[in-house]
Amino acid sequence: MITIVAATNRPNSNTLKIAKYYQQQLKNKGVEAGVFNLEHLPADVLNTDMFGKRSEAFQKIQDMISETDKFLFIMPEYNGSYPGVLKVLIDACNYPDSFYDKKAALVGISSGKYGNIRGVDHFTGVCHYIHLHVLPLRLHIPNIKTELDASGNLIKEDTIQFTNEQIEKFIRF
């Protein structure tokens, strides 16, 4: 099972648009993937699902994480790194079995010119710690507002080429 994580809880985010774009591209290649939008984390997850506690709402998320073999994380840049809500997800999940020896691809996006290079790098360190194997081709999409059309599709030829390459490698990974 493949799960694409839209790693922000911001409503109507470009992150979610990119996650859905990847989902559609995978589907076009005959590969099904679900999208998990971090907008749907339980609002009180810090009090209900940390340090051995487990709510019914988060148990459904934990089950989805446990069933996933491959993750594709779409991460916007927040203050020079990845969003804290992504770290909350990782911290709330059962350790070490939630991610241990599974696979992931990473995509950074930003409204600035670097495409969340540091955030992807920071999250790669977390992935290594939790024994999540990271596809070497990590993408960085800068100036995200100029990359998408009104329907949420990527429009720049070089970005489409790189995302297609990453998707092909992720399928074989």
Side-chain angles (χ1 to χ4, degrees):
M1 181 168 128
I2 295 175
T3 299
I4 302 168
V5 178
T8 180
N9 55 341
R10 180 184 301 239
N12 305 312
S13 68
N14 287 320
T15 303
L16 182 57
K17 291 174 187 172
I18 294 295
K20 288 180 178 180
Y21 175 84
Y22 268 82
Q23 182 184 38
Q24 184 59 52
Q25 297 309 305
L26 283 162
K27 187 175 184 175
N28 292 346
K29 296 177 185 305
V31 178
E32 293 296 320
V35 171
F36 179 53
N37 182 354
L38 293 190
E39 254 186 288
H40 301 297
L41 276 179
D44 201 23
V45 68
L46 290 171
N47 295 313
T48 59
D49 292 283
M50 304 295 280
F51 313 113
K53 295 185 271 181
R54 182 64 71 226
S55 68
E56 188 177 319
F58 193 84
Q59 185 60 52
K60 293 174 186 172
I61 295 167
Q62 178 61 62
D63 292 345
M64 181 257 315
I65 295 290
S66 295
E67 292 170 14
T68 299
D69 301 307
K70 291 182 177 181
F71 297 90
L72 203 160
F73 292 95
I74 313 294
M75 298 173 286
E77 181 177 337
Y78 278 25
N79 299 310
S81 192
Y82 61 90
V85 70
L86 177 56
K87 186 65 164 69
V88 169
L89 171 70
I90 301 297
D91 290 347
C93 287
N94 294 339
Y95 178 83
D97 53 315
S98 293
F99 301 99
Y100 202 90
D101 276 344
K102 295 182 179 183
K103 297 175 180 178
L106 309 181
V107 179
I109 68 169
S110 70
S111 56
K113 62 181 181 175
Y114 297 112
N116 197 15
I117 290 172
R118 283 184 293 190
V120 170
D121 222 25
H122 293 162
F123 192 68
T124 299
V126 171
C127 290
H128 290 165
Y129 185 83
I130 61 176
H131 292 260
L132 187 58
H133 302 287
V134 178
L135 181 73
L137 179 57
R138 301 174 302 163
L139 290 190
H140 309 280
I141 306 173
N143 303 310
I144 193 64
K145 292 175 185 173
T146 67
E147 293 278 352
L148 296 167
D149 66 15
S151 299
N153 292 306
L154 291 171
I155 55 175
K156 293 191 176 175
E157 197 172 314
D158 61 339
T159 305
I160 293 168
Q161 177 186 338
F162 287 125
T163 56
N164 283 337
E165 181 183 354
Q166 186 187 42
I167 289 166
E168 288 292 334
K169 289 182 181 215
F170 183 60
I171 290 169
R172 292 189 309 268
F173 187 47

